[in-house]
Amino acid sequence: MSAADASYVAFVEVAWQRHIRLAMLLTGDRWQAEELLQDSLVRMYERWRKLSRLDDLHAYLRRCLVNNHTSGWRRRRRESLVPEVPDRAAPAGGGFDQDADDLRRALLALPPKQRAVVVLRHYEDLPERAVAEVLGCSVGTVKSQHSRALEKLRQLVEQPSYSGNR
């Protein structure tokens, strides 16, 4: 181990205990705090040869923690904003599995050709021309079947019988 690496390891051993509380106060969660502190220390390691000459490395780490937390908060906030209203509200229980089950039942309610078009287009991610080749029909037929299938899926999934929360 080089002298620079040894000095970094020594700094981390002291800094971890000293700064984990600040990270916990910033994030409000032990696991997020450890992740934040670890990310900040990794960033410091990438510049360690220059940073090791600083007078107060702990002040630099504090600033790094605050900046990284603020950047993460801004990223999460920016990612959660959407320009369009979703087709329907998310279920109150956050039931991702329920959504998948609802969609599976709705797919089974579609006529076989429409179901095939939807699965090939969205699950297999095939372009319209490839779907037409697989199904032995025209691209226009794929487009019309796809349009009808999506409309039917919207109607089926929005029905109260598919989920008690909707």
Side-chain angles (χ1 to χ4, degrees):
M1 184 175 345
S2 71
D5 286 347
S7 68
Y8 175 75
V9 169
F11 172 74
V12 169
E13 289 174 354
V14 172
W16 189 269
Q17 293 304 318
R18 184 171 172 180
H19 295 281
I20 191 67
R21 184 165 184 218
L22 170 62
M24 284 176 54
L25 291 171
L26 288 171
T27 63
D29 178 77
R30 174 73 181 195
W31 307 116
Q32 288 177 3
E34 289 182 1
E35 185 77 19
L36 177 64
L37 182 53
Q38 187 174 22
D39 287 347
S40 298
L41 288 168
V42 166
R43 288 182 184 196
M44 285 184 74
Y45 180 74
E46 294 169 348
R47 297 181 212 93
W48 186 250
R49 295 204 189 275
K50 289 182 182 180
L51 292 177
S52 62
R53 298 182 200 128
L54 292 177
D55 290 333
D56 193 356
L57 290 168
H58 293 285
Y60 185 90
L61 179 56
R62 269 192 306 278
R63 189 76 192 126
C64 192
L65 283 168
V66 170
N67 288 345
N68 288 343
H69 180 260
T70 302
S71 294
W73 174 79
R74 285 181 181 147
R75 256 191 317 277
R76 282 188 304 277
R77 181 171 177 236
R78 192 171 34 236
E79 290 171 357
S80 66
L81 300 176
V82 293
E84 297 177 24
V85 176
D87 285 343
R88 61 187 173 91
F96 179 75
D97 292 335
Q98 183 64 42
D99 284 346
D101 190 46
D102 290 349
L103 183 58
R104 191 173 13 265
R105 285 193 313 222
L107 274 172
L108 291 173
L110 291 176
K113 194 165 191 171
Q114 287 181 5
R115 185 180 333 136
V117 168
V118 169
V119 170
L120 291 171
R121 288 283 289 132
H122 297 282
Y123 182 75
E124 292 293 325
D125 202 25
L126 294 177
E128 291 167 340
R129 184 172 305 284
V131 173
E133 288 174 14
V134 169
L135 296 178
C137 62
S138 70
V139 173
T141 300
V142 169
K143 289 180 180 182
S144 66
Q145 292 292 314
H146 185 250
S147 176
R148 289 181 190 129
L150 291 182
E151 181 60 35
K152 181 73 172 172
L153 285 174
R154 283 186 190 100
Q155 291 171 359
L156 288 170
V157 172
E158 288 176 357
Q159 288 178 359
S161 64
Y162 272 86
S163 176
N165 293 334
R166 292 191 186 105

